[in-house]
Amino acid sequence: MIRNFSYAAEPTEEIAVALNKNIGCCRVLHNKFVEHLYAYLESIGYDGGLIVGYRVPAYKDMIFAIGKDYMKKSDATSYVNVRLAFEKSVEEYNKQYACKSKRYTKQAIRRASNGGAPLSFRDLKGMPKFHAKHYCVDSYKSNMVNDNIKFVAPEGEEIFAKDWHHGNYKHFSVRAKLKLPKLPMFDVLIHRPMPEGSKVKSVVVTHEKAGQYTVTVTVAFTVKSVTRLKNTPEAQEAVKAYLSNHPELALGLDYAQKDGCVGSEDKLLSDLISLAFGKNFRRKEARIAALQRKLRKKQRPDYKQGIEASNSYQKLQRKISKLHRQVANRRKDALDKLSKAIADTFLLVAVEDIDLRAMSQTLKLAKNLLDNGFGMFREMLKYKLAEQGKLYVVIDKWFASTQTCNVCGYINKATKDPNVKEWDCPVCGTHHGRDLNAAKNIRDEGIRTLENAKIFGDAKTIRATVARYTKKLAA
């Protein structure tokens, strides 16, 4: 199994300068790849559609074309990752955007309508773009090759846990040393251990806008606490039969604009969900708005004209970035705890395959939908359930979960109106809450369509016993 662990780094001033140079070299190399692609597209008169016949050159050829000595002093594995990322971006463009009609970015359309440069293939959505020095994500990735990445713990301390489990380690804190290629060791604060026997695959170093440095370590380890489940129709039918007889071990989650989501086990999860989606981080939004009003009055940078930002502007910008980081961390922490509680309690979790990106284009829904972070929550559930060998099922978005009576199956088309929050079934007389009824339908559909669970397609694992989860529910 592969997992990422993010830790706070505390490099010295000298090492921080070296890290920033590595980040800058990767940005320069990426821009050279983009320049090479644009030159090729211009030479063939490209005006949209699939990019055919283009081959990404070797990174050594690009470094030679750049012709700068400082490019030879950075980590070679980071250059390999820049090339791989660029190659992936070209493939993604061909897969996601090139097959559709020509679509330009809103910024480019606005520029052209105001008399600026005309639209070209550079303005197409999904096309690889240049990374600006002051506005791109400051990070680079190093791969493990011949033990060139090392963690060194202080004497008597251990950063690998024997009985590792996903969760919070409240009283764990170790200041270890990290060795990266072509850099001296620097401090990293390990706030939770990695599993024993972990093999480091790569490390991503990120320079946050607020000034902090973060290292994200990708490790591979073996999970021995689960038993194998054969990918056969008999095994699937056995699991279906068990969950049909014990529906309390399955959970359906229906997205709710106001409350974040509603679970089919409403009494068990209502408090946890209200805490996770309560949006306590919005208290900081007033402070952010006040600082941004101040920021407008300061001297802004204009890097094209060579005008630097004033010191007060930079100081306010760091404060705003720090507050944004705190907001993001609070949201992530709340969703992490909720997804952990759900993964520990249930054997199956079913969610709807709703298009959150399309919903976010609606101005009425966008702010609250993005604040909920439901897409990130689904991804957390997915990998935490996989770690424990449990089931994560995605229901077809056209399934009529809201319209169907969970008791008798009657279809009430009046519930297509989102203002209908409660209704009585005219056939069986059951009174339904809109979201709770939908969550129960999603749960039942998840049990019926169990073959859509990733556990079967990827030949993962599932726990053989469910006794301890039943005890939790009973308690």
Side-chain angles (χ1 to χ4, degrees):
M1 187 171 290
I2 295 178
R3 278 290 311 277
N4 294 334
F5 294 86
S6 293
Y7 302 118
E10 298 176 350
T12 61
E13 186 175 348
E14 181 181 355
I15 297 176
V17 171
L19 290 174
N20 291 338
K21 285 183 179 179
N22 282 356
I23 292 170
C25 288
C26 291
R27 178 184 55 81
V28 170
L29 181 61
H30 169 83
N31 289 342
K32 194 65 179 177
F33 278 121
V34 176
E35 181 185 335
H36 185 271
L37 172 65
Y38 286 179
Y40 169 78
L41 296 178
E42 286 178 352
S43 67
I44 64 173
Y46 177 82
D47 193 35
L50 291 172
I51 298 176
V52 182
Y54 177 71
R55 185 176 179 181
V56 180
Y59 77 87
K60 290 184 179 179
D61 296 338
M62 291 291 98
I63 291 175
F64 181 78
I66 292 170
K68 299 292 185 181
D69 291 337
Y70 61 78
M71 295 294 293
K72 300 177 183 178
K73 298 178 182 179
S74 187
D75 176 18
T77 63
S78 65
Y79 292 157
V80 173
N81 286 308
V82 170
R83 184 190 180 280
L84 290 174
F86 177 76
E87 189 174 21
K88 185 178 179 181
S89 67
V90 176
E91 292 174 358
E92 193 69 18
Y93 171 77
N94 279 337
K95 182 179 177 182
Q96 297 288 342
Y97 299 95
C99 56
K100 302 176 183 178
S101 59
K102 286 195 295 185
R103 296 182 181 179
Y104 297 100
T105 62
K106 292 180 181 178
Q107 183 180 7
I109 294 172
R110 194 161 49 242
R111 179 201 69 212
S113 63
N114 291 334
L119 296 172
S120 70
F121 67 83
R122 299 170 183 240
D123 303 315
L124 290 170
K125 284 187 177 180
M127 179 65 69
K129 301 289 195 300
F130 289 109
H131 287 174
K133 180 178 180 180
H134 300 281
Y135 302 107
C136 68
V137 177
D138 294 337
S139 66
Y140 80 95
K141 180 179 180 180
S142 288
N143 293 340
M144 167 73 86
V145 180
N146 297 328
D147 294 330
N148 59 345
I149 298 175
K150 293 181 182 178
F151 278 96
V152 180
E155 188 175 352
E157 300 285 354
E158 187 58 60
I159 60 175
F160 297 97
K162 185 175 182 180
D163 299 323
W164 182 86
H165 61 90
H166 182 87
N168 295 323
Y169 290 81
K170 294 182 180 179
H171 305 293
F172 187 91
S173 180
V174 176
R175 192 178 298 278
K177 297 283 186 180
L178 174 61
K179 175 69 175 70
L180 291 178
K182 295 193 175 183
L183 288 174
M185 288 189 174
F186 58 92
D187 289 342
V188 174
L189 186 62
I190 309 292
H191 65 277
R192 58 174 174 164
M194 291 173 276
E196 189 179 45
S198 297
K199 294 182 179 179
V200 178
K201 294 293 185 181
S202 63
V203 173
V204 176
V205 180
T206 305
H207 185 197
E208 307 286 351
K209 296 301 181 184
Q212 302 95 337
Y213 287 84
T214 303
V215 293
T216 303
V217 187
T218 302
V219 299
F221 59 97
T222 304
V223 178
K224 301 179 180 179
S225 60
V226 290
T227 58
R228 293 287 175 184
L229 179 69
K230 294 181 180 179
N231 185 12
T232 61
E234 293 79 10
Q236 294 179 17
E237 290 301 322
V239 176
K240 281 184 184 181
Y242 183 84
L243 289 173
S244 297
N245 294 328
H246 300 83
E248 71 278 2
L249 294 176
L251 176 70
L253 290 175
D254 180 53
Y255 176 73
Q257 180 68 8
K258 180 181 178 182
D259 302 320
C261 68
V262 174
S264 55
E265 297 292 334
D266 188 46
K267 294 180 181 178
L268 186 67
L269 289 175
S270 58
D271 292 340
L272 285 174
I273 289 175
S274 62
L275 285 173
F277 294 100
K279 303 179 184 64
N280 293 328
F281 52 79
R282 282 190 172 173
R283 298 173 185 174
K284 292 187 177 292
E285 288 184 349
R287 176 62 176 159
I288 292 174
L291 290 177
Q292 286 175 333
R293 285 193 293 270
K294 283 186 178 181
L295 194 68
R296 291 201 298 267
K297 301 176 183 178
K298 306 298 179 181
Q299 179 179 315
R300 304 175 68 87
D302 189 345
Y303 299 110
K304 291 183 179 180
Q305 301 295 328
I307 300 174
E308 295 289 336
S310 64
N311 290 336
S312 56
Y313 181 94
Q314 295 177 12
K315 188 182 294 184
L316 278 174
Q317 189 65 60
R318 284 193 295 270
K319 285 183 180 180
I320 294 171
S321 299
K322 187 175 180 180
L323 286 171
H324 277 298
R325 179 184 172 87
Q326 289 173 358
V327 167
N329 287 345
R330 284 191 180 186
R331 180 192 293 112
K332 184 175 181 297
D333 181 64
L335 297 180
D336 243 326
K337 290 174 179 175
L338 175 60
S339 57
K340 174 66 168 63
I342 291 174
D344 283 349
T345 307
F346 297 95
L347 286 179
L348 178 144
V349 177
V351 297
E352 243 180 335
D353 186 22
I354 55 176
D355 191 347
L356 295 170
R357 177 173 292 183
M359 291 173 63
S360 67
Q361 301 301 310
T362 307
L363 293 179
K364 273 188 176 181
L365 305 178
K367 166 66 176 171
N368 198 61
L369 183 142
L370 296 174
D371 280 348
N372 283 334
F374 189 69
M376 180 168 60
F377 175 61
R378 289 190 302 191
E379 291 300 315
M380 289 178 176
L381 271 177
K382 186 177 178 180
Y383 80 78
K384 287 175 186 175
L385 289 165
E387 279 180 356
Q388 300 188 33
K390 297 180 180 179
L391 304 171
Y392 176 81
V393 185
V394 179
I395 305 303
D396 183 22
K397 62 182 177 182
W398 302 115
F399 172 67
S401 59
T402 306
Q403 303 171 40
T404 307
C405 172
N406 180 252
V407 178
C408 67
Y410 171 76
I411 303 295
N412 182 10
K413 294 189 177 181
T415 56
K416 286 184 177 180
D417 183 359
N419 294 321
V420 178
K421 301 300 182 184
E422 295 183 358
W423 58 282
D424 294 317
C425 178
V427 177
C428 64
T430 307
H431 180 76
H432 291 297
R434 176 192 182 89
D435 296 327
L436 181 57
N437 176 65
K440 290 180 179 179
N441 285 326
I442 291 171
R443 176 199 63 193
D444 297 340
E445 183 68 9
I447 295 174
R448 283 194 294 269
T449 60
L450 200 59
E451 59 272 9
N452 294 338
K454 293 292 184 182
I455 190 170
F456 293 108
D458 299 340
K460 297 285 186 183
T461 56
I462 186 169
R463 286 191 180 275
T465 60
V466 292
R468 70 190 189 95
Y469 305 115
T470 310
K471 288 179 181 177
K472 279 191 177 183
L473 288 171

